[in-house]
Amino acid sequence: MNYFPDEVIEHVFHFVNSNKDRNSISLVCKLWYRIERFSRSRVLVGNCYAITPERVIARFPCLKSLFLKGKPHFADFNLVPQDWGGYVYPWIKCLEKNRTNLEELRLKRMIVTDDSLELVAKSFSNFKSLVLVSCEGFTTDGLAAIAANCRFLRELDLQENEIEDHRGQWLNCFSESCTSLVALNFACLKGDINLAALERLVARSPNLKSLRLNRSVPVETLHRILVQAPQLVDIGVGSFVCDPESETFLKLTALLQKRHSIRSLSGFFEMTLYCAPAIYPLFSNLISLNLSYAPAFPGKELIKILQLCGKLQKLWVLDCIGDKGLEIVAYSCKELQELRVFPSDPDGDGNATFVTEEGLVAISSGCPKLNSLLYFCAQMTNAALITVARNCPNFIRFRLCILDPTKPDAATLQPLDEGFGAIVQACKGLRRLSISGHLTDQVFQYIGMHAKNLEMLSVAFAGGSDKGMLHVLNGCEKLNKLEIRDCPYGDGALLNNVRKYETMRSLWMSSCNISMGGCRMLAKSMPRLNVEVINENGDLNRDGDDDQLVDKLFVYRTLAGPRTDAPDFVWTL
Amino acid sequence: MGSYDKDLNLEATELRLGLPGTDQPEPTTNIIIHSNNKRSIHQTKEEDQEGASKVAASKAQIVGWPPIRSFRKNSVQPKKDRAGTEADVSGIYVKVSMDGAPYLRKIDLNSYKGYDQLLVAIQSMFRITIGRYSEREGYSGSEHAPTYEDKDGDWMLVGDVPWEMFTTTCKRLRIMKGSEARGLGCGV
């Protein structure tokens, strides 16, 4: 390849899009490193504290698209204190200072302020796409700034963020000349929006393919929008509360019978079952269906709908579907690839239906293409998991959460080691695994032995000893993220293979048996890791004894050194 | 673990003193938890005393379990029969006064999901900072402390009781300032 001019090599690289591949390319030789870095336009920084924004921009001066992740995953479940960190402002400031031609910004679990959004809106004239997932710290004022200033905005996608809603007029702020919208998702906003502004915006956006409404948009508006936008492919219907005897209902029913292009549905925040018939015609064309925010759907109605979904590939539901409902899915949805079953009664103090191992077995035998699972269930058995493993060897993501976190095999009362062992043995391509239930060191031995492609492992309330954690650290060659809570692992496990942590993005351990001494030792032996002790309760003494127990520990590799924005209860040792 | 006993329903055959039909509150597995509000909560199922022996329901509230995003948790409210469901629908409006401010404000406690959100709103509304809460020291780190008047007419420090209990017993809020505020939390 030495005899090709640089332009040819660059042209070839243009076809390589995956970050992993580009990282590999850049390691081949200096020439390739140089060419690759000037041609990389999409950059993923999986941990915003692993490197400084200055270094990223210096290496990739032509970057147009940046994907940043901030807080550790367990922050989603309130295990990380609110002001731990993950601020995006310094990154945006740096991008602005360097006059980067930023077009796309994607953020996950970061603290985004209105100031940051305003800076984005005013600094990058070609800005096209903003995707915020599980972020917080901003209000609808920030959205207004984006709407008002980004004249070529194509995508505004807000997924499950905590946004302070000032009930303002942010939708009005889209200028009349903004006609480029392709995707707009504000389903997570809690407040009212200006309906007329929304309708006008849709009317002047001929390229709008995806629109997800929040719960404040009434069904009359939805109908008018659907009339205006026959090109819509993905719709979040909002609350979908409708009087089945109203004119709107009749008009909507008639309209939807002709909308064969709709492929994806979500929303239904308060849907009453009487309105379901209006959308029946849509189900046979659907590829993706998200009913996980629709608690009012009774099982019978769900079953009726799911029987129609012959092309469905992605299904998110609540556990009120029950095992019977899952059997229907197994029978009807032969193309299913991704299934998520969420708990409808997370605090467990109601009389909710739930799903068990039976539902999962049914799905596995009916849906051979299944490769991604998130399953919140009341119980599980080894026999079921073994059957699932046999039926579905193609799992890439397998996340099982038993609502009672230390529950053993419901039939034999044994630990669930054998079941999960079967999963990792059969699913050679498994990249992400979450395990729960009564578990011993044995399951980790299986994981270490067989899960050679595993990148992310989540463990909660497992039993056993330090050996368990060591099996994983020593055996899982591609391990990138390990998060552990409420397990009996101590300093022995933490310190046995410290070099491993430099090959990983991060390690989270909370409510385990780690001591200050262990953390200090880790920090001392591995200077290129940030060893963060999170002293949330104020119980720890920074200069105190080695034997103080550390409740929350977050370890990650970094080229940026200890971070300067840590709050006073986070200590980088 | 205790779950085995529940499956065998030993309770049904247990010899006990006491009138038939009364249920003792089931002992919960005491898992130590700390929430963002830095309180440790020990919840017993006193609510179960209506005799509904919901075996599956007796769990301690473990922080972060089941692992679903709080956004989802708050959105998909189960069909709970909460006391005072009227309030859920119509909003719980309480007056908020701040020492030295010329007029009062009113907020809807139902529009917040917890103390964090409430305090953020109050700080933004009055353009002040309220310190960090701790069980021992109250609010340290600023001049202001949020207090509330409860059903009994007593002035309490915001944050001491579980959120649900707070929303149902809070009659009005007062942001205390200065030395009066600093006196709170020490040896109270």
Side-chain angles (χ1 to χ4, degrees):
Chain A
M1 284 286 259
N2 294 11
Y3 11 95
F4 286 144
D6 289 358
E7 296 80 38
V8 174
I9 301 181
E10 190 183 326
H11 185 69
V12 173
F13 288 178
H14 178 69
F15 295 99
V16 179
N17 286 320
S18 110
N19 273 304
K20 275 202 190 120
D21 291 342
R22 279 195 163 255
N23 288 343
S24 306
I25 285 178
S26 64
L27 292 174
V28 166
C29 65
K30 281 206 177 124
L31 175 70
W32 282 30
Y33 177 88
R34 185 170 52 80
I35 295 176
E36 195 282 317
R37 68 178 262 254
F38 283 105
S39 69
R40 195 184 306 207
S41 61
R42 243 198 216 122
V43 177
L44 159 68
V45 180
N47 173 2
C48 64
Y49 291 121
I51 189 162
T52 61
E54 288 78 17
R55 276 184 81 156
V56 173
I57 296 168
R59 180 170 167 194
F60 302 114
C62 302
L63 96 79
K64 291 209 183 106
S65 163
L66 181 62
F67 184 0
L68 276 176
K69 296 189 188 178
K71 301 186 203 180
H73 175 232
F74 277 173
D76 277 345
F77 318 132
N78 290 338
L79 287 180
V80 178
Q82 200 131 22
D83 24 2
W84 171 85
Y87 306 101
V88 77
Y89 189 81
W91 286 82
I92 299 175
K93 195 83 189 110
C94 190
L95 288 162
E96 183 247 346
K97 216 168 75 166
N98 285 282
R99 299 205 207 113
T100 315
N101 183 16
L102 191 68
E103 292 184 5
E104 287 177 14
L105 186 62
R106 192 185 165 107
L107 304 175
K108 191 167 185 181
R109 277 189 293 273
M110 295 201 72
I111 301 204
V112 179
T113 57
D114 286 344
D115 288 343
S116 312
L117 290 176
E118 220 180 290
L119 193 56
V120 169
K122 298 205 170 133
S123 313
F124 309 114
S125 54
N126 270 334
F127 194 72
K128 295 195 170 78
S129 166
L130 181 66
V131 180
L132 302 177
V133 181
S134 197
C135 295
E136 58 178 343
F138 60 107
T139 77
T140 45
D141 295 346
L143 298 179
I146 296 281
N149 293 289
C150 301
R151 290 174 32 226
F152 306 115
L153 194 68
R154 281 202 212 139
E155 180 176 25
L156 178 60
D157 186 359
L158 307 168
Q159 297 176 30
E160 297 189 335
N161 302 289
E162 290 291 345
I163 306 173
E164 198 183 305
D165 201 324
H166 287 168
R167 292 173 172 82
Q169 301 290 320
W170 68 276
L171 260 181
N172 282 11
C173 297
F174 279 101
S175 83
E176 291 301 316
S177 61
C178 177
T179 57
S180 45
L181 268 183
V182 174
L184 177 62
N185 172 8
F186 59 92
C188 67
L189 277 181
K190 296 179 197 133
D192 296 333
I193 51 139
N194 185 318
L195 300 175
L198 174 63
E199 286 182 50
R200 281 198 309 271
L201 180 61
V202 171
R204 65 176 184 275
S205 304
N207 297 320
L208 191 67
K209 284 271 188 295
S210 165
L211 178 63
R212 297 190 183 184
L213 309 171
N214 76 345
R215 53 176 76 224
S216 75
V217 178
V219 84
E220 290 76 20
T221 307
L222 172 65
H223 173 251
R224 282 198 291 272
I225 285 175
L226 288 173
V227 170
Q228 273 288 353
Q231 77 283 5
L232 280 172
V233 160
D234 167 20
I235 303 178
V237 301
S239 292
F240 210 76
V241 173
C242 191
D243 178 357
E245 298 185 357
S246 67
E247 207 186 317
T248 307
F249 181 79
L250 294 170
K251 286 200 266 186
L252 194 59
T253 309
L255 180 69
L256 290 175
Q257 274 176 354
K258 296 180 252 160
R259 284 300 161 88
H260 307 297
S261 55
I262 296 174
R263 291 279 171 274
S264 168
L265 271 186
S266 58
F268 304 104
F269 304 122
E270 276 163 67
M271 169 157 174
T272 52
L273 69 111
Y274 308 112
C275 305
I279 49 173
Y280 282 169
L282 296 178
F283 289 109
S284 53
N285 289 319
L286 282 188
I287 293 185
S288 166
L289 178 60
N290 183 352
L291 294 172
S292 64
Y293 282 101
F297 248 111
K300 277 202 198 129
E301 193 57 44
L302 260 182
I303 287 173
K304 227 193 264 180
I305 282 176
L306 290 165
Q307 279 176 320
L308 301 168
C309 297
K311 295 192 189 153
L312 204 62
Q313 292 176 17
K314 177 167 138 175
L315 176 64
W316 291 21
V317 281
L318 291 170
D319 57 8
C320 24
I321 192 177
D323 288 333
K324 285 278 169 276
L326 288 175
E327 280 169 37
I328 302 292
V329 173
Y331 183 75
S332 315
C333 310
K334 294 299 181 192
E335 301 297 312
L336 197 67
Q337 293 177 25
E338 176 178 330
L339 174 67
R340 296 196 192 190
V341 181
F342 292 95
S344 53
D345 191 7
D347 296 330
D349 45 25
N351 269 326
T353 25
F354 34 67
V355 294
T356 71
E357 74 278 8
E358 290 178 13
L360 186 58
V361 168
I363 290 280
S364 72
S365 58
C367 307
K369 298 190 183 176
L370 194 66
N371 60 42
S372 176
L373 179 76
L374 173 61
Y375 198 72
F376 286 83
C377 56
Q379 63 183 51
M380 187 48 58
T381 64
N382 284 311
L385 286 172
I386 292 169
T387 306
V388 169
R390 199 175 43 236
N391 290 337
C392 290
N394 297 320
F395 274 116
I396 298 175
R397 276 168 237 111
F398 191 89
R399 296 196 275 163
L400 191 79
C401 176
I402 303 174
L403 292 170
D404 180 352
T406 53
K407 196 161 177 158
D409 181 320
T412 64
L413 300 182
Q414 292 296 303
L416 286 169
D417 302 334
E418 297 305 311
F420 285 111
I423 294 283
V424 293
Q425 207 165 345
C427 305
K428 306 261 184 270
L430 194 67
R431 296 210 297 256
R432 183 168 178 184
L433 178 65
S434 302
I435 55 180
S436 61
H438 180 37
L439 299 163
T440 71
D441 287 342
Q442 180 64 71
V443 69
F444 299 107
Q445 192 173 12
Y446 290 138
I447 292 175
M449 245 196 311
H450 297 291
K452 293 305 179 188
N453 282 314
L454 192 66
E455 293 171 11
M456 181 168 175
L457 178 65
S458 310
V459 186
F461 298 98
S465 69
D466 284 354
K467 284 210 201 104
M469 187 169 158
L470 292 181
H471 285 310
V472 173
L473 288 175
N474 296 332
C476 297
E477 288 144 11
K478 295 206 183 156
L479 193 66
N480 194 31
K481 284 185 281 186
L482 178 59
E483 46 184 26
I484 302 173
R485 65 165 292 184
D486 295 89
C487 294
Y489 309 133
D491 297 337
L494 181 69
L495 297 171
N496 179 280
N497 185 357
V498 294
R499 294 215 180 287
K500 178 74 175 172
Y501 305 131
E502 250 186 35
T503 69
M504 293 164 52
R505 184 185 295 171
S506 64
L507 165 73
W508 169 277
M509 292 182 76
S510 59
S511 305
C512 299
N513 266 338
I514 304 291
S515 75
M516 266 308 254
C519 298
R520 286 176 176 142
M521 177 75 94
L522 177 60
K524 196 163 152 196
S525 48
M526 301 293 291
R528 281 196 301 229
L529 299 177
N530 274 356
V531 177
E532 288 189 9
V533 167
I534 298 170
N535 184 23
E536 192 177 9
N537 291 332
D539 294 339
L540 291 174
N541 181 347
R542 186 159 191 175
D543 305 309
D545 290 339
D546 274 351
D547 57 7
Q548 301 176 87
L549 274 185
V550 168
D551 186 55
K552 291 185 180 175
L553 173 70
F554 187 50
V555 179
Y556 54 93
R557 68 179 169 201
T558 179
L559 295 173
R563 55 186 176 108
T564 50
D565 64 0
D568 50 10
F569 55 87
V570 173
W571 306 329
T572 306
L573 299 181
Chain B
M1 302 233 80
S3 47
Y4 298 44
D5 297 293
K6 288 174 199 157
D7 289 332
L8 294 172
N9 202 9
L10 292 173
E11 219 186 20
T13 54
E14 195 186 71
L15 290 177
R16 243 196 272 165
L17 290 177
L19 294 169
T22 54
D23 242 354
Q24 285 177 2
E26 288 201 29
T28 55
T29 44
N30 271 337
I31 299 166
I32 296 164
I33 43 194
H34 5 258
S35 72
N36 278 344
N37 292 331
K38 302 160 199 74
R39 292 169 289 147
S40 52
I41 313 164
H42 297 288
Q43 287 190 355
T44 55
K45 284 290 169 181
E46 264 133 27
E47 295 96 69
D48 270 347
Q49 267 174 337
E50 281 130 23
S53 49
K54 294 173 190 167
V55 167
S58 286
K59 290 197 211 56
Q61 300 290 320
I62 310 170
V63 166
W65 197 267
I68 56 176
R69 285 188 185 148
S70 32
F71 179 84
R72 180 177 287 281
K73 210 166 189 170
N74 295 334
S75 302
V76 185
Q77 284 303 317
K79 310 154 201 115
K80 273 189 204 167
D81 285 334
R82 274 197 277 178
T85 40
E86 197 85 85
D88 294 346
V89 173
S90 57
I92 309 175
Y93 281 90
V94 295
K95 292 183 192 168
V96 189
S97 62
M98 182 166 90
D99 294 354
Y103 49 79
L104 278 62
R105 302 297 303 268
K106 234 179 183 173
I107 57 172
D108 173 9
L109 290 182
N110 254 350
S111 61
Y112 308 105
K113 299 292 186 271
Y115 286 115
D116 286 336
Q117 282 192 19
L118 173 67
L119 293 175
V120 162
I122 290 180
Q123 289 174 99
S124 150
M125 202 180 245
F126 290 101
R127 308 226 187 292
I128 53 168
T129 41
I130 297 175
R132 289 181 71 72
Y133 175 84
S134 80
E135 208 166 30
R136 250 180 291 137
E137 316 255 327
Y139 288 89
S140 57
S142 90
E143 272 201 295
H144 300 95
T147 65
Y148 72 100
E149 187 184 20
D150 74 357
K151 273 201 289 230
D152 302 327
D154 297 318
W155 284 93
M156 317 284 291
L157 186 67
V158 168
D160 283 334
V161 303
W163 174 256
E164 267 76 50
M165 192 189 293
F166 167 73
T167 57
T168 51
T169 57
C170 171
K171 288 274 154 289
R172 53 188 300 176
L173 282 154
R174 176 184 162 201
I175 316 297
M176 282 190 176
K177 224 171 111 164
S179 54
E180 234 188 329
R182 278 190 288 277
L184 275 171
C186 307
V188 168

